[in-house]
Amino acid sequence: MAKNVVVVGTQWGDEGKGKIVDLLTDRAYAVVRFQGGHNAGHTLVINGKKTVLHLVPSGVLRDGVMCLIGNGVVLAVDALFKEVDELTKNGVDVMRRLKVSESCPLILPYHVALDHAREKARGKSAIGTTGRGIGPAYEDKVSRRGLRVADLLDTKGFPDKLKSVMEYHNFALKNYFQCDTVDYAKTLAECQQLAERLRPLVADVTELLHQYAKEGKRVMFEGAQGTLLDIDHGTYPYVTSSNTTAGGAATGSGVGPNRLEYVLGITKAYTTRVGAGPFPTELNDGVGDFIGTRGNEFGSTTGRKRRCGWFDAVIMRRSNQLNGVTGLCVTKLDVLDGLDTIKVCTAYRYEGQVRSTPPSGADALAKCEPVYEEMPGWKESTLGVRSFDKLPANAQNYLKRLEALTEARIDLVSTGAEREDTIILRHPFE
C-alpha cells in the first residue's frame, strides 16, 4: 500500500492537478507543495463553489489535512496571507493546519520589479512569465544572495541583509533597465509586519515529514506547473525556474527518493499551453476554438487565454520517463464530446526524418511537424460519468489508445470539475 504519492503535471501545466489532489486527500494525512510559488493556480470546485489556490496546498478543503509548504517553494508572504484570509473568511480552518519551511526563499518587491523590467526589455522575445517575481527569486537562491524565511524571522540581522541585496538589485533597475527602484524603508516595514504573523506557522517541514513516515501516515506531494516547464527538461528557455518533475518532490521537501512510492501524472485529454514557446500540435482553427471554449481554457492565475491543441503522445512518453510515472489521470475528457474526429500526435517530422522522441530545446521543437493518427469521436456526453463501462465505446477506445501510445496505464479519468466527477480505476493510495 503506497504511503506517499507524488502528483505532477505531465504537460505545460493547467492539467487539473488541484482537483485530483483534493479528491485523493480523503486518504492523506498531509499535502506538501514542493516547488514553484504563487504563479501556480489550482482550481477546486466543491458543491458548485469554485476556489483557486496559488500557494496553500490543495488539501486545505479537507478537514484535518495538514498543509505543508516545503523548502523548494519561493514564498511571497503577502500573497500567502491574502490567500489564507480569503479561505478563513469562507470558513476554512487554515492557520491551525498550515506549516511553512524555514528554508523557503522569499519573493520580495524587487523580484517583482525585476520580473516586469526583464519581460519589457525582451520585447517580442518575452518568455511570458506571470510577472510575480518567481524567476528572480530562484535566481537569487542559486546565486546565494537570496533571503529566506529564517532570515525574515531574525529581527536583528534581517535589515542589513535586506539592505545589501536591495542595493544590488536597485542598481540594475536604475542603471540597466532604467526604471524605478524599490524603496528600502517601505519594504523593510512591510517585511517586519509580515514576519510576526508568519512566525507561528514556521516549522521544520523535513522533520515533520520524517515523523509522519515513522508513524505510517500517508502524505501527498503536490506539484505545480508541468513537466514541460521544468527548468532542466522543459522547452528551455520557455520554462519556469524550478524542477517541476517528480524528483523535485525530494529536493523540495527534504524527503528521500525511496520514500516516494507512487507517481501520478496528470494530463488533459488534449493539450494546452499558456504564454510563448513551441507547441507542435497547436490548433489555430475552429477546433482549437471549440476546445478552448468548451474547456474554459483561461489561466486561473493570469487570466490569459490558453493555446489549445491535440494530444501529443511524443512529449507524454518523455514526461512519463522523466517522472517515473506509476499511473496517469486523464482530465477534461468531456471537453472532446461532440467532435467527429479526434487526432493524436504519434511522432514528429524533424529535419526530413520521422522521430518518436522530442528534440532538445525550444528552437528544435518549434521545427517539428506532428504526425497524426485519427480516431472516431463520440456524440454522447461523458460529463459526470463515474464508471469506465458507462463511457461511450469510442471514448473508451480513445483512452486505451492513449495508454498504448504513452506506455503508461490510466488509473483515473476526470469527467467534470466537481470532486466526484471522477472514474477511479486504481486508487494511488491502495
Side-chain angles (χ1 to χ4, degrees):
M1 180 182 291
K3 293 293 192 302
N4 292 332
V5 173
V6 184
V7 177
V8 292
T10 55
Q11 297 168 307
W12 280 289
D14 308 308
E15 299 95 348
K17 297 179 290 296
K19 172 199 165 172
I20 302 304
V21 170
D22 169 72
L23 171 73
L24 299 179
T25 46
D26 65 334
R27 304 194 191 184
Y29 181 80
V31 180
V32 190
R33 275 284 307 274
F34 59 85
Q35 49 76 220
H38 62 308
N39 54 342
H42 293 175
T43 302
L44 316 180
V45 180
I46 313 298
N47 297 324
K49 185 174 182 178
K50 179 179 176 181
T51 301
V52 180
L53 301 172
H54 303 284
L55 274 169
V56 177
S58 296
V60 72
L61 298 186
R62 291 280 190 181
D63 292 339
V65 174
M66 293 297 296
C67 296
L68 312 183
I69 297 178
N71 60 275
V73 174
V74 282
L75 185 69
V77 183
D78 56 339
L80 175 66
F81 282 121
K82 180 180 179 182
E83 196 168 313
V84 166
D85 290 343
E86 185 66 24
L87 287 165
T88 302
K89 187 175 73 174
N90 291 328
V92 180
D93 178 18
V94 187
M95 293 292 284
R96 186 177 59 84
R97 297 186 286 128
L98 180 63
K99 298 297 177 184
V100 177
S101 171
E102 57 196 348
S103 299
C104 285
L106 298 171
I107 299 177
L108 294 167
Y110 50 84
H111 292 126
V112 179
L114 283 166
D115 210 351
H116 286 288
R118 288 172 177 173
E119 282 290 88
K120 183 178 180 181
R122 289 186 183 106
K124 293 182 179 179
S125 299
I127 293 172
T129 74
T130 58
R132 299 193 172 194
I134 308 297
Y138 273 118
E139 180 184 325
D140 268 4
K141 172 185 175 180
V142 174
S143 298
R144 293 171 292 182
R145 61 172 167 261
L147 300 176
R148 307 201 294 181
V149 166
D151 296 313
L152 180 64
L153 301 186
D154 177 10
T155 54
K156 291 184 178 179
F158 183 74
D160 287 342
K161 290 181 179 180
L162 178 66
K163 186 175 183 179
S164 177
V165 73
M166 285 193 70
E167 286 177 351
Y168 177 87
H169 286 308
N170 274 335
F171 182 87
L173 287 168
K174 179 181 178 180
N175 296 288
Y176 184 78
F177 293 108
Q178 298 181 339
C179 61
D180 294 338
T181 58
V182 179
D183 185 80
Y184 167 73
K186 180 181 178 183
T187 302
L188 177 61
E190 290 172 350
C191 287
Q192 289 172 330
Q193 184 177 10
L194 290 168
E196 294 315 306
R197 192 176 179 196
L198 182 64
R199 193 179 296 275
L201 303 181
V202 177
D204 185 342
V205 168
T206 297
E207 182 61 30
L208 284 176
L209 291 172
H210 283 272
Q211 190 61 41
Y212 297 161
K214 286 182 180 179
E215 297 169 359
K217 293 174 177 175
R218 295 166 171 165
V219 177
M220 178 165 288
F221 295 80
E222 178 182 11
Q225 292 86 47
T227 297
L228 302 177
L229 295 174
D230 185 273
I231 185 66
D232 290 306
H233 299 288
T235 49
Y236 191 89
Y238 300 98
V239 292
T240 193
S241 298
S242 62
N243 288 115
T244 59
T245 45
T251 57
S253 68
V255 165
N258 64 334
R259 294 257 174 98
L260 306 175
E261 288 96 344
Y262 181 107
V263 178
L264 180 64
I266 315 295
T267 177
K268 284 177 179 169
Y270 48 97
T271 310
T272 63
R273 178 166 198 168
V274 172
F279 185 174
T281 65
E282 183 172 12
L283 294 170
N284 296 303
D285 58 13
V287 176
D289 292 338
F290 172 86
I291 292 173
T293 301
R294 176 74 72 83
N296 191 29
E297 295 297 351
F298 295 90
S300 54
T301 297
T302 63
R304 288 182 293 182
K305 182 179 179 181
R306 296 175 186 142
R307 300 153 63 191
C308 299
W310 296 118
F311 189 90
D312 189 333
V314 178
I315 54 176
M316 270 299 303
R317 277 195 299 273
R318 177 55 53 87
S319 288
N320 292 342
Q321 294 166 354
L322 291 170
N323 290 296
V325 164
T326 311
L328 289 174
C329 172
V330 177
T331 64
K332 291 198 166 185
L333 180 68
D334 55 294
V335 173
L336 301 181
D337 294 353
L339 291 173
D340 293 324
T341 301
I342 298 173
K343 296 182 181 181
V344 180
C345 174
T346 58
Y348 294 148
R349 288 191 183 89
Y350 176 70
E351 295 185 340
Q353 295 184 330
V354 175
R355 57 184 295 164
S356 59
T357 59
S360 177
D363 292 341
L365 190 63
K367 296 176 183 177
C368 291
E369 296 181 7
V371 176
Y372 285 120
E373 176 180 311
E374 293 189 359
M375 298 189 68
W378 54 90
K379 297 299 182 182
E380 307 95 320
S381 174
T382 63
L383 182 64
V385 173
R386 300 177 185 179
S387 174
F388 189 83
D389 58 7
K390 296 293 178 63
L391 290 172
N394 285 350
Q396 293 184 32
N397 292 336
Y398 178 66
L399 292 172
K400 290 174 183 177
R401 186 60 180 147
L402 295 189
E403 281 189 316
L405 290 170
T406 62
E407 300 174 1
R409 76 184 192 207
I410 295 173
D411 284 354
L412 297 97
V413 181
S414 174
T415 57
E418 288 280 357
R419 179 189 280 168
E420 292 78 13
D421 292 340
T422 310
I423 300 168
I424 302 178
L425 299 171
R426 284 168 289 271
H427 198 292
F429 278 121
E430 293 180 351

